Amino acid sequence: MNNGIMINVEKLNKTFGDLHVLKDIDMTVKQSEVVCLIGASGSGKSTLLRCINFLELKDSGLVMIGGEKIEKETHDLNEVRVKVGMVFQHFNLFPHKTVLENVMEAPIYVKKCPKEEAKMEARALLKKVGLSDKEDVYPSKLSGGQKQRVAIARALAMKPEIMLFDEPTSALDPELVGEVLATMKELAEEGMTMVVVTHEMGFAREVADWAVYMHEGRIVEVGHPEQLFSNPKEERTKNFLDSVL
Ligand code: ADP
Ligand code: MG
């Protein structure tokens, strides 16, 4: 029973040494919601995502996934991570594996999925991201946009319930951004619960249910993208938007 709440973060604090990176973060994401996270470099966006899929461990506070309170003492974090897929700015594909092998890898080695089944599912996912014709190609032969779509297929291969995207299009040439955003939009339309760090305001307006502005480790403002971007309530949000738009 989780009442449709997929992510619940309460009073989350995280420090790195003397640096207090996340300060009393509260955030609740319901099933099939898409949330965009914006904020200046260093404001803690990546750390927040990493705490939600346990690549970083919180100092204090609560992180619940699918209604369950997750603690390293009581949970196998690798199992939790299967539920929470993540796509990074840099694609981190295995260079010595083909596109198909990249997508098959985690289901086989982490989920112990039979190879033939993993292959069938990987092919279906490559079809979904429009890369069926690239299955035998090595990543070095792909464009950045194609690499990122493989990375998305690879994350989806674990059948996550939640997908986190950390600036998925920031490393791409402008002409390749659209194809990746289109893939993400399709995923959102299928009902995937998503948290997306992005400064692609067009995407945020079109796809996100709500948006969050972070500043120096705090959530400063939350709102509908249209309202947050066009008519921010907080001076700090306004200043930030003036600097990026
Ligand atoms: P953003 O994604 O918004 O740019 P980050 O979450 O990456 O922000 O970083 C927030 C702050 O935490 C930055 O000052 C960054 O240098 C620091 N930081 C992030 N990861 C680490 C780490 N592993 N060790 C030490 N400091 C870190
Ligand atoms: Mg970041």
Side-chain angles (χ1 to χ4, degrees):
M1 284 293 285
N2 58 26
N3 299 321
I5 292 175
M6 298 298 283
I7 304 172
N8 185 32
V9 171
E10 284 176 27
K11 287 227 172 280
L12 176 68
N13 282 275
K14 173 72 184 170
T15 55
F16 292 111
D18 292 338
L19 198 61
H20 198 171
V21 176
L22 296 177
K23 300 168 186 162
D24 288 336
I25 299 287
D26 290 322
M27 188 164 91
T28 302
V29 184
K30 298 198 194 99
Q31 179 137 32
S32 299
E33 274 186 337
V34 178
V35 180
C36 269
L37 209 55
I38 63 170
S41 177
S43 58
K45 306 178 299 295
S46 296
T47 305
L48 177 56
L49 290 192
R50 293 168 67 83
C51 285
I52 294 173
N53 89 338
F54 305 92
L55 289 172
E56 298 287 355
L57 295 177
K58 65 187 164 66
D59 292 2
S60 64
L62 177 74
V63 182
M64 292 175 85
I65 301 296
E68 210 178 323
K69 180 178 167 184
I70 310 295
E71 296 285 354
K72 67 176 189 305
E73 292 79 11
T74 49
H75 287 79
D76 178 347
L77 297 181
N78 287 318
E79 268 173 35
V80 180
R81 241 170 255 134
V82 167
K83 290 190 201 171
V84 189
M86 185 146 169
V87 171
F88 302 87
Q89 178 175 352
H90 298 287
F91 330 108
N92 307 336
L93 298 176
F94 304 115
H96 54 286
K97 291 188 186 289
T98 66
V99 163
L100 188 69
E101 287 165 351
N102 263 279
V103 181
M104 289 167 62
E105 175 87 7
I108 291 174
Y109 291 99
V110 180
K111 277 194 161 175
K112 312 293 176 208
C113 179
K115 200 168 171 186
E116 279 313 307
E117 192 183 319
K119 190 182 271 185
M120 268 175 48
E121 285 179 2
R123 285 197 166 126
L125 286 168
L126 287 173
K127 184 164 181 220
K128 184 182 164 77
V129 301
L131 292 173
S132 287
D133 56 331
K134 300 290 184 196
E135 68 171 59
D136 294 324
V137 165
Y138 286 87
S140 61
K141 299 278 186 257
L142 299 177
S143 72
Q146 290 170 333
K147 282 182 199 167
Q148 194 57 301
R149 286 185 285 145
V150 174
I152 293 171
R154 188 178 56 172
L156 292 175
M158 295 298 275
K159 302 194 172 73
E161 294 167 16
I162 297 164
M163 284 282 283
L164 309 176
F165 293 85
D166 195 356
E167 304 204 37
T169 60
S170 315
L172 301 178
D173 292 334
E175 71 273 20
L176 303 177
V177 168
E179 64 191 62
V180 173
L181 294 179
T183 301
M184 291 165 58
K185 187 177 169 198
E186 214 178 288
L187 203 56
E189 282 165 355
E190 289 169 8
M192 180 62 80
T193 306
M194 297 169 40
V195 182
V196 185
V197 176
T198 185
H199 293 150
E200 294 290 337
M201 302 297 177
F203 173 83
R205 278 198 158 91
E206 202 180 342
V207 181
D209 297 292
W210 46 282
V212 176
Y213 170 63
M214 278 183 75
H215 179 75
E216 294 178 359
R218 287 185 198 281
I219 291 181
V220 168
E221 183 164 353
V222 174
H224 187 269
E226 198 60 46
Q227 176 264 314
L228 191 93
F229 301 153
S230 308
N231 191 19
K233 293 194 178 82
E234 297 287 334
E235 198 59 28
R236 282 175 293 184
T237 316
K238 193 174 173 315
N239 291 341
F240 171 74
L241 289 167
D242 286 346
S243 74
V244 294
L245 294 181

